[in-house]
Amino acid sequence: MTWTKLVFLVCGLNTSPDLHSQIDSVSKEFNIDRTLILSVVRKESHCSQDALGSSDDRGLMQIIPKWHHDRMDKLKITDLFDPIQNLRVGAHFLASLNAATTPYDALVFYNGGSKKPQSSHKYAQDVLEKKELYDKLLKGEVE
């Protein structure tokens, strides 16, 4: 399966038509596996760039502005509902958590912060299981 088809399979028509290339670009910029980013996007917002959570978490990767304002300033981000801007903040955060080498720990912190509640461990497990499935689909190991 191609990357474009996988993103369409996961997200359907619920998202930006350029999401596959946007994730690919951000993945390369921050050295985070694109299937990990896709899995977070699916878990966080169901691929909706307009998603707004109860804690003011916004966009594809459900970024909370009050916790990421310094990161947003550094990256010159002004609109968390813009897919590429949101992906850049989320991927930068994952990179700062060493997601490339310790994805489970990074995802627990991404979801639950320093408190790391039990639900964040389930979140990390779910995201990594989907990532593994996406990797297998890309390799043609699953149909």
Side-chain angles (χ1 to χ4, degrees), residues 55-74:
S55 299
D56 197 31
D57 24 354
R58 300 177 186 183
L60 291 169
M61 296 186 78
Q62 290 292 273
I63 305 299
I64 301 174
K66 72 178 179 180
W67 301 122
H68 296 282
H69 56 85
D70 289 342
R71 186 179 315 280
M72 291 170 62
D73 288 346
K74 178 180 180 178

Side-chain angles (χ1 to χ4, degrees), residues 87-99:
L87 290 166
R88 289 188 74 232
V89 175
H92 185 274
F93 186 35
L94 287 170
S96 75
L97 298 171
N98 299 313

Side-chain angles (χ1 to χ4, degrees), residues 10 13 16 18 23 45 50 55 61 65 69 73 83 95 101 112 114 137:
V10 171
L13 299 173
S16 162
D18 298 322
I23 290 175
S45 67
D50 299 321
S55 299
M61 296 186 78
H69 56 85
D73 288 346
T101 55
S114 59
L137 286 166

Side-chain angles (χ1 to χ4, degrees), residues 25 31 34 40 42 45 48 61 65 73 78 81 87 91 95 97 107 110 112 119 124 129-130 133 137 142:
S25 173
N31 194 33
R34 63 188 182 174
V40 170
R42 177 72 177 121
S45 67
S48 174
M61 296 186 78
D73 288 346
T78 58
F81 293 109
L87 290 166
L97 298 171
L107 289 165
Y110 185 95
S119 61
E129 285 175 4
K130 287 292 186 193
L133 174 61
L137 286 166
V142 178

